[in-house]
Amino acid sequence: MFFFFILSIRPAEISKEIYPEINTLHSVTSKNVNFQSTDTNHMIQSDMNISNEFDAAVGNIINIIVSYDMGWSTRGNGRSYDSLNGYGAVIGFLSGKIIDFATRNRKCAFCDYGNNKENHDCRKNFEGSAKAMEPSVGVELMTQSTVLKEIGLNARVLIGDEDSSTIAAVRRESLQSIFKLCDSNHLKKNFFSNLYQLKKQFKEMAKKDTIPYLKKCFSYAVAQNRGKSSELANILRSIPEHVFVRHENCGNWCGNYRNTRNNKPQEVLLTDPKLYNKLREIFFKYAANASKFSIAASSQANESLNNIMAHKAPKNKCYSRSASSDYRFASAVCNKNEGDSHIMNIKEKLCLSPGRYTKSFVAKKDEIRAKRAVIARLPVTKKQRNVLRRNKEALRK
Ligand SMILES: [Zn+2]
Ligand SMILES: [Zn+2]
């Protein structure tokens, strides 16, 4: 049931605001569960009522959660380099499908050679810095998307990276309040880079095991406290003390706290008091933001789209001065939503007969994609990782 899913991952104030139907759905299903009757006719009638009520409540849902991210055509995120173009897409959080996409191009080779803008397929549509593309595309997709308008849906929750310029711009332009959730992968990456910065100042941080151990502590805490922000905050605050061998505030996750580690010494011990203060600062900062980590919000789908795009338009070549890059992104979008079978649909639309091997090629690719999707849905435990690896190797053959 998808709304149980919503209830479990959303902070309550967001789910109340964007899913007012949630209470109806909840009461309908609990009726369904508690319903016990021996009269068959009565039972069928009630079942029908319940399913009608349920369908009506689901039909009333018009607010959706989307993830948004932007990719650039040069290495280094466009934040450090000046990319000539950028491409962004909003992806439905529950469906994983791309809802709408847009691109920004700052240069056109034909215009630069002195051609008139009218006599070629000019894609130049942006003046400004590469960084300003992200909010510009974000506003277009979140507030002016024709796809969303046509089907009558509102994107009310945006999952994105920590960059605040996009959400600020979207909130300025939108008539409704828009909620923001941070992608937990981006938050984690920022935390790790904070640790690596300490490496230059402190010898103990440069030791081989220190940073991996701190990363491990952090990742375990996050993985084991999904949806429990106060517990997560407590654990994050106790980690700096733990690595400095003070276990009074450690919880059950710590072997020394449980007194079960009599023979085995702790893996990493730190002693520098200055380092303690720095680590404490970092961990307390992230503990204060624990509610952001405890939600399973992720813009993983956008990252996978950007990876597909990197295959279609390799970053060491320049496609961004003509229409080529736009076509490549559109192709990446089709690939993400429909798999390689989109090639057949395009040929049909253009009234072209498919090449000799296209059909079999597409069928094979789609089969691999379906198998991969099944594997990706399996829960990953240590044992299964081996099975996964073997399956992946078999797929490659
Ligand atoms: Zn042009
Ligand atoms: Zn401890």
Side-chain angles (χ1 to χ4, degrees):
M1 287 300 183
F2 81 96
F3 67 94
F4 281 138
F5 180 62
I6 293 162
L7 271 183
S8 65
I9 56 160
R10 297 279 71 90
E13 71 274 10
I14 297 185
S15 60
K16 229 188 250 169
E17 164 100 21
I18 70 160
Y19 295 117
E21 305 81 8
I22 210 97
N23 289 336
T24 324
L25 286 170
H26 215 226
S27 67
V28 168
T29 19
S30 53
K31 256 190 246 168
N32 203 4
V33 172
N34 298 331
F35 184 73
Q36 281 176 338
S37 169
T38 44
D39 179 358
T40 335
N41 282 339
H42 183 207
M43 211 160 98
I44 292 170
Q45 187 59 39
S46 290
D47 268 359
M48 271 175 67
N49 288 344
I50 286 170
S51 97
N52 287 344
E53 229 176 290
F54 186 84
D55 288 351
V58 171
N60 283 335
I61 292 179
I62 53 162
N63 296 324
I64 57 166
I65 304 163
V66 297
S67 62
Y68 166 71
D69 195 15
M70 178 162 248
W72 284 272
S73 58
T74 44
R75 287 203 183 91
N77 269 348
R79 289 188 179 97
S80 43
Y81 292 109
D82 239 5
S83 179
L84 293 181
N85 74 334
Y87 37 88
V90 284
I91 302 186
F93 180 61
L94 293 175
S95 67
K97 300 270 180 191
I98 295 160
I99 298 169
D100 204 353
F101 68 96
T103 59
R104 291 288 180 269
N105 296 301
R106 302 199 295 164
K107 257 210 183 305
C108 171
F110 293 96
C111 287
D112 288 351
Y113 293 137
N115 287 304
N116 192 332
K117 216 172 163 29
E118 308 304 320
N119 62 18
H120 62 277
D121 182 7
C122 189
R123 299 284 170 150
K124 190 177 166 187
N125 60 358
F126 192 76
E127 306 264 348
S129 70
K131 202 176 177 299
M133 289 174 186
E134 193 166 8
S136 162
V137 172
V139 167
E140 182 187 330
L141 296 178
M142 291 289 288
T143 63
Q144 298 145 25
S145 161
T146 45
V147 178
L148 285 174
K149 271 183 194 149
E150 258 169 41
I151 42 176
L153 291 177
N154 299 324
R156 291 287 303 279
V157 181
L158 183 134
I159 302 169
D161 54 20
E162 274 182 290
D163 172 48
S164 56
S165 60
T166 305
I167 186 68
V170 171
R171 281 182 179 145
R172 257 201 310 276
E173 297 294 319
S174 175
L175 301 172
Q176 290 171 305
S177 58
I178 306 273
F179 296 95
K180 162 90 191 267
L181 293 172
C182 276
D183 169 42
S184 45
N185 291 334
H186 276 101
L187 283 170
K188 233 186 220 178
K189 251 186 234 165
N190 284 354
F191 170 77
F192 294 163
S193 74
N194 281 346
L195 290 184
Y196 284 110
Q197 277 161 12
L198 292 182
K199 216 172 165 178
K200 290 168 209 149
Q201 292 175 38
F202 299 98
K203 266 186 191 163
E204 281 182 316
M205 285 300 277
K207 278 186 198 160
K208 192 174 100 247
D209 295 330
T210 313
I211 289 182
Y213 184 72
L214 288 169
K215 276 164 106 176
K216 192 173 92 180
C217 288
F218 184 84
S219 303
Y220 271 31
V222 171
Q224 287 169 355
N225 292 284
R226 286 256 174 259
K228 297 180 266 183
S229 52
S230 59
E231 281 96 329
L232 175 62
N234 285 338
I235 293 182
L236 289 183
R237 278 190 219 110
S238 68
I239 291 174
E241 292 184 22
H242 170 80
V243 285
F244 282 84
V245 211
R246 280 171 241 153
H247 300 290
E248 300 86 46
N249 295 321
C250 293
N252 254 337
W253 56 274
C254 166
N256 288 314
Y257 179 83
R258 281 185 274 122
N259 267 334
T260 52
R261 204 187 262 152
N262 295 331
N263 310 325
K264 218 166 82 184
Q266 189 174 324
E267 287 165 62
V268 170
L269 308 170
L270 305 177
T271 48
D272 187 347
K274 274 186 192 157
L275 175 60
Y276 173 75
N277 287 337
K278 279 276 173 201
L279 279 180
R280 194 168 178 273
E281 219 172 84
I282 294 174
F283 275 91
F284 270 57
K285 188 178 95 191
Y286 283 85
N289 289 311
S291 61
K292 287 182 185 167
F293 286 103
S294 63
I295 303 158
S298 139
S299 57
Q300 188 75 44
N302 291 77
E303 224 133 276
S304 116
L305 173 66
N306 290 346
N307 282 340
I308 297 175
M309 181 60 178
H311 280 281
K312 303 233 178 219
K315 296 203 173 192
N316 57 359
K317 295 197 174 62
C318 177
Y319 297 102
S320 42
R321 295 170 64 206
S322 65
S324 175
S325 156
D326 276 11
Y327 282 116
R328 281 162 202 268
F329 189 57
S331 166
V333 167
C334 292
N335 220 9
K336 170 88 183 140
N337 273 1
E338 292 183 35
D340 285 276
S341 58
H342 79 275
I343 298 171
M344 300 297 284
N345 299 340
I346 289 170
K347 295 241 177 198
E348 203 181 309
K349 214 164 191 179
L350 297 174
C351 301
L352 293 171
S353 54
R356 198 169 158 196
Y357 298 107
T358 313
K359 207 173 171 183
S360 56
F361 169 78
V362 166
K364 200 171 174 191
K365 283 280 228 176
D366 278 349
E367 194 188 328
I368 292 173
R369 184 180 146 98
K371 273 188 192 163
R372 260 193 209 138
V374 170
I375 293 169
R377 272 198 293 273
L378 294 173
V380 181
T381 59
K382 259 184 193 170
K383 231 180 188 180
Q384 264 170 340
R385 250 180 233 137
N386 292 331
V387 181
L388 285 181
R389 206 185 48 233
R390 253 179 275 138
N391 283 351
K392 270 183 191 162
E393 280 165 10
L395 275 174
R396 262 187 230 124
K397 276 171 200 166

